[in-house]
Amino acid sequence: MDWRDNRIESAQNGTNPMVLAKMKSGFAVIGDTQFLPGYCVLLPNKAVFSLNDLTIDERSQFLTDMSLVGDAIMHVCHPLRINYDILGNTDAFLHAHIFPRYEWEKEERRKGPVWLYDSSNWYDETKQFNEKKHGKLKDELANDLNRVYGK
């Protein structure tokens, strides 16, 4: 099985190479695309359809962990702000997108949702995560998250 076929299971069994840190509610992973450097995703500990399928305590932890990933991105990448997005429209399982937004983005892009960027940004090979190109960023984000979790 390719790790992309089940990102949660591959994070649990240690075969997902995008994992930055084990969080209380799941796994912080660096995004497949890095057209906005530092883009990350939070995967839950267990596959559920939506946030509403978690208990109140699990929801609270997931949302707290989502904000901690945002803190790490702020600390490492120094964006203007962080956008948080839970959709589930394409991948029908709970996951949270954590997008840094930068001053260098064109104003009309920076003020709108990331999803309005040209779709090529999601598939263009030059913008895809590459260990050689983004490995240092990945390590810095992982170190920051592991510092918060005392690992």
Side-chain angles (χ1 to χ4, degrees):
M1 173 180 90
D2 184 88
W3 65 270
R4 290 174 196 89
D5 294 336
N6 189 325
R7 291 172 187 261
I8 296 168
E9 184 180 317
S10 63
Q12 292 168 335
N13 68 26
T15 60
N16 185 331
M18 307 300 266
V19 171
L20 298 169
K22 171 72 174 103
M23 311 288 284
K24 289 179 183 173
S25 69
F27 300 88
V29 299
I30 194 161
D32 292 354
T33 184
Q34 289 295 305
F35 71 92
L36 293 171
Y39 161 57
C40 293
V41 176
L42 179 62
L43 302 171
N45 278 326
K46 59 185 177 183
V48 295
F49 185 69
S50 76
L51 186 66
N52 303 87
D53 293 325
L54 299 175
T55 67
I56 295 296
D57 287 342
E58 289 170 329
R59 292 178 201 183
S60 296
Q61 189 62 60
F62 188 83
L63 295 171
T64 296
D65 286 348
M66 183 176 70
S67 72
L68 291 172
V69 175
D71 287 344
I73 296 168
M74 290 292 290
H75 183 249
V76 171
C77 300
H78 311 288
L80 285 175
R81 65 176 294 112
I82 301 291
N83 288 171
Y84 301 92
D85 215 344
I86 299 174
L87 299 170
N89 297 333
T90 302
D91 295 320
F93 61 90
L94 174 63
H95 59 288
H97 300 272
I98 305 131
F99 290 105
R101 302 308 300 266
Y102 293 98
E103 191 172 323
W104 50 258
E105 292 177 76
K106 290 182 181 178
E107 186 174 2
E108 66 271 13
R109 291 288 176 243
R110 187 178 68 242
K111 290 188 174 185
V114 169
W115 309 108
L116 295 181
Y117 267 93
D118 188 89
S119 63
S120 67
N121 286 294
W122 302 102
Y123 306 105
D124 181 345
E125 274 302 313
T126 65
K127 296 182 174 102
Q128 297 304 296
F129 176 83
N130 175 293
E131 189 66 43
K132 187 174 182 180
K133 188 174 178 182
H134 304 105
K136 183 176 186 241
L137 172 61
K138 181 183 174 195
D139 290 345
E140 289 174 356
L141 289 166
N143 288 340
D144 198 80
L145 286 166
N146 287 316
R147 178 187 53 78
V148 168
Y149 272 100
K151 295 180 182 177

